[in-house]
Amino acid sequence: MQKLLLLGDEAIAQAAIDAGISGIFSYPGTPSTEITEYVMASKQAAAKGIKASWAANEKTAVETALGVSYAGKRAMSCMKHVGLNVAADAFVNSAITGANGGFVIVAADDPSMHSSQNEQDSRFYGKFAMIPVLEPSNQQEAYDMVHYGFDISEKYQIPVLLRITTRLAHSRAAVVRKPERPQNELRLPSDLKQFILLPVIARRRYKGLLANQVLFEQEAETAGFNRYFDGHDKSLGIITSGIAYNYLMENFTGRNIPYPVLKISQYPVPVNMITKMEQECKRILVIEEGAPVIEESLRGLLSKSLNVNGRLDGTIPRDGELNPNIVAVALGMEDHRGMDVPGLVVGRPPSMCVGCSHIDMYNALNAALSDFTKGRVFSDIGCYTLGALAPFNAINSCVDMGASITMAKGAADAGLVPAVAVIGDSTFTHSGITGLLDAVNSNSPITVLIADNSTTGMTGGQKSAATGKIEDICRGVGVPEEHIRVIKPLRKNHEENVKVILEELTYNGVSVVIPRRECIQTLNKRMRAKAAEKAKAKESE
Ligand SMILES: Cc1ncc(C[n+]2csc(CCOP(=O)(O)OP(=O)(O)O)c2C)c(N)n1
């Protein structure tokens, strides 16, 4: 079969195409974005008519994919870990409705918060929803697990969660492809009431989900992704999972480990394999990327009080991404940390691009707010969050997508008037609209700046669902027409922009100011593509 050099994200995307998906619906978020981008750019996917699109948010993405599954076809939905919080209602309930066509949800966790606001472990969500969870340790396994995930999803009529982490998503390795499968035919569920979660149906379905747990456990014992490797030195047994398995291997030349090793890549945890290790070994070391999910579950499983080391007792740091060196230290081996980065490479804090429209927006906002006391700007997640840094020091919060408007409303309702929200165009359609409706319904005195650079800039410039629609949405939600103001954030317009913002700050109700100018990165990209097209046309003349 063909061998390809792929990122972990790309391996998942290629596998989804080969495994016969009919649709992929996602919302961008590092480190998951490249999965959907790969399918969007794939000629193979286009030829197969696979639908690939960015949804307004992760919840709408999961629900759309569930609709594809309802229709009997295979679907995938991808997001970063915090995206699963947004999709959680649909995600957890989809475990009760079950799947019809195969349904795989990919959550990409970001230990050490390289580009995230928290460090959460999506395996908890899988356990919470009581569905099978797959956790690949390398790119090939990621590819294979997508095929297997669709298999068990259809076999047990259940959504499957594929959990990856940053290092796997963004590193490349050779991947051997499997034969392509055709897409499913349209085939509605045999029980047309299965997806109606009225209590009487949901109770029955929930009992079915509980009954299936034993089958999911058997799958985890027998599918071959969970493996027990024997070792002659039983003073220690090692349980490891996902990418952490590779970090363990890197510490032993020739991959010769003296201790028994249990590699867990499929959940629910394989109880029989764990019991075997408990019986054989004096002590267990748990090495897992993310939260101590396996380690905590051991506490309920082990019959005798065995010595268990891991993140919970500090043998491994409680937070942050693992690496081979941390694993070596946990094993009592030599600390082979490399040399420190020499002073030649100076750390570079993040900053907005030269020419970014957000710079002019913050200059105008800061000037407009100069006569008010500080601490009244609630921001959101996007490139404009960099307004927190010097020289702007312009914002006072960034919590989760959409929280700018709702927090400003809360603060205004509590008496902080005026309160300001700053939200990007993509974040506005992701989670800002309902908060704006709440503010309109209570006529809260807030001014909302919707920073419209007509793209999802932070994650690399994906299409924004808001483009061309923001004024209509605000009008539809009930913001008075005369308090929806569009400004062009440019240095030459500074005085005029300050005046507009100031006028709206003094309005005693909900006002919206839309600083609108294309993202400098997407503008440059567009210009380059145009120039290349022109040059090509000239060549062929
Ligand atoms: C729930 C959730 N999903 C996805 C992300 C990743 N993410 C961070 S900001 C952002 C959108 C940024 O776009 P926009 O609001 O238009 O602002 P811009 O970066 O273009 O200024 C995304 C998708 C996230 N942090 N949280």
Side-chain angles (χ1 to χ4, degrees):
M1 283 309 294
Q2 190 192 24
K3 213 176 200 181
L4 297 172
L5 188 65
L6 297 174
L7 293 177
D9 275 352
E10 294 172 344
I12 291 167
Q14 185 62 54
I17 297 168
D18 292 343
I21 56 161
S22 296
I24 180 166
F25 308 92
S26 309
Y27 186 74
T30 312
S32 71
T33 311
E34 290 88 344
I35 305 171
T36 308
E37 281 183 335
Y38 184 95
V39 180
M40 285 174 166
S42 160
K43 289 195 177 118
Q44 185 197 358
K48 287 168 179 270
I50 295 172
K51 300 253 184 313
S53 59
W54 295 118
N57 64 36
E58 293 85 353
K59 180 171 180 283
T60 62
V62 166
E63 289 159 351
T64 308
L66 187 63
V68 173
S69 169
Y70 171 91
K73 302 199 178 189
R74 294 186 197 105
M76 181 173 265
S77 182
C78 309
M79 62 211 68
K80 70 183 286 150
H81 58 324
V82 283
L84 197 48
N85 298 336
V86 176
D89 203 5
F91 173 76
V92 175
N93 289 334
S94 72
I96 313 284
T97 64
N100 184 26
F103 184 14
V104 174
I105 297 140
V106 184
D109 293 353
D110 187 19
S112 276
M113 305 178 225
H114 296 288
S115 43
S116 307
Q117 66 270 44
N118 78 13
E119 187 177 290
Q120 64 182 52
D121 194 317
S122 297
R123 291 176 297 169
F124 281 124
Y125 267 115
K127 197 170 176 197
F128 186 42
M130 291 188 286
I131 63 172
V133 178
L134 305 174
E135 188 190 11
S137 58
N138 59 41
Q139 287 72 3
Q140 182 68 58
E141 214 170 46
Y143 179 91
D144 295 341
M145 278 180 167
V146 170
H147 285 261
Y148 171 72
F150 281 115
D151 285 344
I152 55 170
S153 176
E154 291 185 354
K155 181 172 171 189
Y156 298 106
Q157 301 267 287
I158 191 79
V160 170
L161 178 66
L162 183 76
R163 184 248 183 177
I164 56 169
T165 52
T166 310
R167 223 34 75 166
L168 179 83
H170 285 171
S171 58
R172 228 170 256 285
V175 171
V176 181
R177 286 175 66 192
K178 287 179 184 293
E180 289 179 48
R181 287 193 231 173
Q183 291 177 41
N184 286 345
E185 296 294 328
L186 195 69
R187 174 180 44 85
L188 297 190
S190 51
D191 173 5
L192 282 178
K193 298 207 160 152
Q194 172 185 332
F195 283 74
I196 308 171
L197 294 188
L198 276 169
V200 63
I201 299 169
R203 273 184 220 119
R204 180 170 46 79
R205 302 253 352 137
Y206 185 50
K207 279 190 199 302
L209 178 64
L210 291 171
N212 273 342
Q213 296 304 303
V214 63
L215 303 179
F216 300 162
E217 278 162 26
Q218 276 164 17
E219 275 286 340
E221 296 276 356
T222 54
F225 290 115
N226 291 337
R227 295 185 63 188
Y228 197 98
F229 302 94
D230 212 357
H232 59 84
D233 185 347
K234 315 281 193 214
S235 64
L236 178 69
I238 301 170
I239 300 179
T240 182
S241 73
I243 191 103
Y245 172 70
N246 279 343
Y247 299 152
L248 173 68
M249 288 302 165
E250 280 185 38
N251 278 293
F252 294 90
T253 24
R255 308 205 148 200
N256 270 330
I257 305 187
Y259 314 110
V261 174
L262 170 55
K263 166 185 170 283
I264 297 183
S265 287
Q266 182 172 353
Y267 304 78
V269 289
V271 178
N272 293 336
M273 292 182 186
I274 290 171
T275 309
K276 179 169 149 81
M277 181 161 280
E278 180 197 9
Q279 281 161 359
E280 279 189 2
C281 301
K282 286 210 175 72
R283 182 167 76 89
I284 292 180
L285 173 65
V286 187
I287 310 167
E288 53 191 321
E289 186 72 289
V293 175
I294 298 173
E295 197 178 339
E296 280 181 351
S297 69
L298 290 187
R299 299 187 166 207
L301 288 174
L302 301 182
S303 53
K304 57 183 187 202
S305 55
L306 195 73
N307 240 341
V308 177
N309 304 120
R311 289 209 191 249
L312 289 174
D313 74 342
T315 303
I316 292 172
R318 184 65 182 77
D319 64 328
E321 192 178 20
L322 297 178
N323 59 42
N325 190 61
I326 293 175
V327 172
V329 173
L331 284 162
M333 296 167 77
E334 200 186 328
D335 182 345
H336 20 237
R337 195 174 346 183
M339 293 200 298
D340 284 342
V341 178
L344 279 176
V345 185
V346 181
R348 199 163 50 113
S351 64
M352 284 185 239
C353 305
V354 175
C356 173
S357 57
H358 300 332
I359 294 175
D360 297 293
M361 170 185 73
Y362 278 125
N363 284 337
L365 177 63
N366 276 348
L369 283 171
S370 58
D371 285 340
F372 295 93
T373 53
K374 290 203 173 304
R376 56 184 72 243
V377 181
F378 301 87
S379 189
D380 228 297
I381 308 184
C383 294
Y384 51 93
T385 315
L386 294 169
L389 307 176
F392 309 103
N393 302 311
I395 66 169
N396 307 105
S397 76
C398 160
V399 179
D400 62 64
M401 292 188 79
S404 56
I405 299 179
T406 32
M407 283 185 71
K409 169 184 153 41
D413 290 352
L416 185 71
V417 179
V420 178
V422 179
I423 187 167
D425 51 314
S426 181
T427 304
F428 176 63
T429 42
H430 178 285
S431 287
I433 300 172
T434 44
L436 186 64
L437 180 60
D438 280 351
V440 166
N441 284 347
S442 59
N443 196 33
S444 301
I446 64 170
T447 298
V448 180
L449 267 64
I450 304 176
D452 181 12
N453 57 6
S454 306
T455 191
T456 317
M458 184 83 163
T459 45
Q462 294 76 24
K463 206 166 168 325
S464 163
T467 304
K469 301 185 175 74
I470 296 175
E471 289 93 311
D472 282 347
I473 292 171
C474 294
R475 260 192 297 271
V477 163
V479 181
E481 178 79 51
E482 63 279 20
H483 292 289
I484 303 172
R485 315 277 298 268
V486 179
I487 60 174
K488 186 154 191 179
L490 278 171
R491 200 183 302 173
K492 65 174 184 180
N493 299 341
H494 180 75
E495 296 308 325
E496 175 58 22
N497 292 345
V498 175
K499 188 169 154 278
V500 170
I501 296 172
L502 206 46
E503 280 168 12
E504 297 310 326
L505 288 177
T506 48
Y507 169 61
N508 190 26
V510 179
S511 57
V512 170
V513 177
I514 307 168
R516 174 173 292 141
R517 178 157 66 80
E518 186 177 3
C519 163
I520 198 77
Q521 295 294 343
T522 53
L523 177 71
N524 288 342
K525 232 185 265 171
R526 217 159 41 78
M527 291 306 178
R528 277 198 300 272
K530 216 170 168 184
E533 222 170 76
K534 236 180 181 176
K536 213 170 161 192
K538 220 170 190 182
E539 236 170 55
S540 57
E541 270 173 18

